[in-house]
Amino acid sequence: QQPGQGVVAQFPFWENIQPQQTYYTLTHNKPFIGGFFAANTTSQFRRIQPVLDGFPNTASLELLQELGVEWIIVDLAQYPDPSQIIAQIEALGLKKAVELDGQAVFQIK
């Protein structure tokens, strides 16, 4: 429901290739950096995966900005200490916009 057409990224990064992520784009009407890949991933995905697997860090944030990502959604259930991952993301200068159903949403400005 947020304005603009900024790209959405889901973390942990492997969730970007889950089929439901493609469905979610129909709901939020924004592009995303993943896709539902069977046997073959795109060259872009193969290039960005190693960097984004390291999220949250400076290199991953810079790449997200380069890709036009505006919204980062973090599945807190996938991290052993959700408060720690939130603190690490906020240490990069991002502010949590909202937390809904175990998903923390951050905006890159």
Side-chain angles (χ1 to χ4, degrees), residues 49-80:
Q49 183 177 11
V51 177
L52 296 182
D53 279 344
F55 180 83
N57 59 28
T58 304
S60 61
L61 178 59
E62 289 172 356
L63 180 55
L64 290 168
Q65 291 169 322
E66 180 184 313
L67 293 169
V69 172
E70 184 175 352
W71 300 100
I72 296 172
I73 303 173
V74 180
D75 184 353
L76 297 174
Q78 298 300 320
Y79 295 91

Side-chain angles (χ1 to χ4, degrees), residues 15-75:
E15 287 191 2
N16 286 284
I17 62 171
Q18 300 303 305
Q20 62 268 30
Q21 297 301 322
T22 303
Y23 172 77
Y24 297 154
T25 64
L26 299 174
T27 303
H28 57 61
N29 293 314
K30 296 187 184 333
F32 75 119
I33 58 174
F36 181 45
F37 307 117
N40 299 307
T41 56
T42 65
S43 59
Q44 174 180 292
F45 192 87
R46 288 190 305 274
R47 178 180 62 84
I48 67 175
Q49 183 177 11
V51 177
L52 296 182
D53 279 344
F55 180 83
N57 59 28
T58 304
S60 61
L61 178 59
E62 289 172 356
L63 180 55
L64 290 168
Q65 291 169 322
E66 180 184 313
L67 293 169
V69 172
E70 184 175 352
W71 300 100
I72 296 172
I73 303 173
V74 180
D75 184 353

